[in-house]
Amino acid sequence: MTKSFIEGLATSTGTLAVTVVVPAKDEAENLPILLDEIEAALQGRSFEVIVVDDGSSDGTDIVLQDYAATHDWLRPVRHQTSCGQSCAVRTGLHHARGDVVATIDGDGENDPAYIPQLLDALEQAGTSTALAAGQRLGRKASLAKRYASKFANKIRGAILKDKTRDSGCGLKALRRDVFLQLPYFDSWHRFLPALVIREGFDVVHIDVQDRQRRHGSSKYGIFDRALVGVLDLFGVWWLRRRRKKVPSVRPLT
């Protein structure tokens, strides 16, 4: 069987093909189920999973240590105090060894079965594309949250023109070399399509079905990030405006 482009990268560079980064806070009950699902989804691929425990107080760190003892593809790390989801994603990125970094939320609402589809879509799109982004269907959040999210996504799309219906979906696959170029700020995980486009790359999308979380409750409300989200939106707009040209570089020798 012919190896895929991503698997070929792993062979040629001596690194792993895929690193799955899972930001998690107080998800001790959800993580073992989610990790089993990730392993099943990525059978036949070279991969590792980095779970970033973002200062949990429910024993998430113990659960991860126990799981890692019998699964050598798991590399858990921990923030001593909670630093937020974006910071957890960034920590996972800087620990990643894969050529492609896939992200998925730790609450189980994202289905890992879509990760291979994201990887395949990224591969098939070619080198001009750096991000395959999931877009949720059948949202299981409350009616108020769904309307708030829909409104926010419309405003974001109108201002940033990132060609993305749902930038808040945790399921994404991104070339690691491009991911490392992106400017970091809290909540950057919600603006990855716009930031990738800013670097001169394209984005492809995959529709994914949303799921109910099995245990625990959401860490986010409707209004707790509204003001910050508006400020971030105009911050990203400013960043895009300040990037006048993306150079096309070729060696002379």
Side-chain angles (χ1 to χ4, degrees), residues 75-198:
R75 298 172 56 215
V77 297
R78 174 174 168 82
H79 293 165
Q80 288 304 111
T81 58
S82 179
C83 299
Q85 184 172 348
S86 280
C87 188
V89 171
R90 185 170 186 256
T91 294
L93 168 63
H94 282 280
H95 282 77
R97 297 178 295 189
D99 296 295
V100 173
V101 174
T103 64
I104 184 170
D105 292 344
D107 55 17
E109 293 181 16
N110 300 152
D111 189 342
Y114 290 105
I115 295 177
Q117 293 184 39
L118 292 170
L119 298 174
D120 291 344
L122 184 61
E123 173 191 341
Q124 292 163 11
T127 57
S128 64
T129 298
L131 169 64
Q135 297 190 121
R136 291 167 291 187
L137 299 173
R139 291 288 306 278
K140 299 302 188 292
S142 67
L143 183 63
K145 279 189 177 182
R146 293 201 303 272
Y147 274 115
S149 178
K150 188 174 182 179
F151 176 75
N153 276 308
K154 282 191 173 181
I155 295 296
R156 188 210 67 258
I159 293 174
L160 298 183
K161 301 185 183 344
D162 59 4
K163 306 173 186 177
T164 300
R165 186 184 73 239
D166 173 24
S167 70
C169 179
L171 276 165
K172 294 182 173 72
L174 193 76
R175 283 174 41 188
R176 183 175 179 269
D177 60 334
V178 177
F179 211 161
L180 289 168
Q181 296 177 34
L182 305 182
Y184 171 75
F185 53 91
D186 283 345
S187 295
W188 75 330
H189 66 283
R190 297 185 172 278
F191 296 94
L192 290 178
L195 295 173
V196 166
I197 292 170
R198 178 180 181 267

Side-chain angles (χ1 to χ4, degrees), residues 25-43:
K25 177 175 170 57
D26 294 331
E27 300 291 358
E29 292 182 288
N30 288 313
L31 282 170
I33 302 170
L34 180 66
L35 291 170
D36 286 346
E37 291 178 326
I38 293 173
E39 181 181 30
L42 293 177
Q43 284 293 322

